[in-house]
Amino acid sequence: MDATILMLLLQDGVVNGAIYALIALSLVLVFTVTRVILIPQGEFVAFGALTLAAFEAGTVPGTVPLLLALGAAACAADLVEARHALDARRILRIALRDLVLPGAVAALAYALGPGKPTLALGIALTLAIVTPMGAYLHSIAFRPLEKASVLVLLVAAVGVHLALTGLGLVFFGAEGSRTPPLSDAMLPAGPLSVSGQSLWMIGLTLAIIVALWAFFGLTLLGKALMATAVNRLGARLMGIGPGMAGRLSFSVAAFIGALSGVLVAPLTTIYYDTGFLIGLKGFVAAIIGGLASYPAAAAAAVLVGIIESVAAFEASAFKEVIVFMAIIPVLLWRSARADPVEDEE
Amino acid sequence: MSRLFEAQDVTVAYGKIEAVRGVSLAVEPGRVVTVLGANGAGKTTLLNALMGVLPARGAIRFDGRDLARLPVEERVAAGLSLIPERRELFATMSVEDNLRLGAFRFRGRPQEGGSLEAMFALFPRLKERRRQLAGTLSGGERQMLAMARALMGRPRLLMLDEPSLGLAPLIVAEVMRTVADLRGQGVAVLLVEQNARAALQVADYGYVMDGGSVVLEGESRALQADKRVVETYLGVLAADTEPARGVG
Ligand SMILES: Nc1ncnc2c1ncn2[C@@H]1O[C@H](COP(=O)(O)OP(=O)(O)O)[C@@H](O)[C@H]1O
Ligand SMILES: [Mg+2]
């Protein structure tokens, strides 16, 4: 391997690592706020990519009826949840969130989808379709388990993952899709050239990191999420409901997932079940960060991306094996350092 | 007399063991009501149940509304606030952020919530520490922050679980003064204490719990003079706990 190839692999690794970093950040966010290990994060990625691909093909994506169905189910779940405190205002709020919002998004998708919207409009619609799904899934599958253990929540997460993968197959079929790159530009950089797409990926990842930082550091809502992560009971006593915190963190995760899907779709063919492997690599990075530290998770994600691209070059058949084996020494190191009694909050 | 807050026949169980049995109490606006009792009497369990942290049987009414089945955050929205025994501050967040989050229920209309300035006037120490992380505060400062954070939410009924726990006598006096001042603002206070002497000095009315039930109740003056209270709580407890408690 000469220096140019190494540079090339590093570049590749950083670009992939950016996607893993986005996923790792959402996993950390969701876990710290809700204690859910969000296995279905990868499905948001796949749904994002496939939804955009459907718009690019001039069709209405299958995620649109799925959004309506999830909204209706979430509406029922939210009404049951709030049954002891239902008044007109609350019913209106739930209906707006779970029925009117997805209805409006669906109407736009049906109106604009068949006419093959521009790439920017397609991306905006894609994000609008996938983002609320996060909140709905939380209301349907996780809010009712609010008092359950991390293990039960993990099982529920696996269940949601399997259900969404199945629905992905139903709505998108078994064929894969690719979308055009966000930019065709190729910029020379010494012996290498950097694609406009890579710059978009790294730039948007940095933008998301800055936006998350601003959200947590500057807004009361962001601080409320952080407070829930720091002290669940303390947050409830301030009126920060776990339902609100869960819906919000799941929506942020779904948004970041869909955006990641939009970003990777031009690089690799995405199938209905591709998300899982991408999500798993983000998960490896999040675990290295202890599912708690955002900077550690982001740094680990870039490392995972680099290990992956070097492994793909040196021993492509064992690429995934090498990536997932890399987690073992990290786990050993973490558990050797860990406080033996840290399992209860 | 108008009853702002009323609990009737409240029973709370941990599994099969009933830690609170058939407790009834009432708090009127602008009054300080205390619940006394030895360690293990069920005071914390009772407050947690009134706030919705623990499930309970019985009726809990606030301003004519039945709260018994509402979750914690709905009770907060109704105007209840609990400062729990363990304070439950946001340890890795700044004092100022803790305070701002206290007014979370007024987000979007901050002029209705408490103001940082008012809290800093009430507890000047917090102003000096505003950028410090809550977890680095001393025990007394933590209690002040817990009180200020609760007051940011403009509660109509403030419940305090052993605010004097682990505090030096001077700070206990300051905390009790703050509690007494709430009376003038029309806030109802439910004060749980083991430190009966300090609590009866600020309270208008008191309940004494033992083994999960209310065994005695009456005006503070009457309780202070009651032989049983003096013997069980004022004599022994006050003498033996106060010096033993360091600043935590
Ligand atoms: N989480 C719990 N599980 C089981 N029993 C508990 C729990 N918390 C408290 N208890 C029991 O309930 C009784 C009342 O406790 P508590 O309400 O903390 O009393 P107090 O606040 O008056 O000291 C005690 O006997 C205590 O052992
Ligand atoms: Mg107690």
Side-chain angles (χ1 to χ4, degrees), chain B residues 39-40 42-45 85 161-162 192 194:
Chain B
N39 208 355
K43 307 180 297 295
T44 296
T45 306
E85 202 166 6
D161 196 348
E162 301 217 30
V192 156
Q194 264 189 70

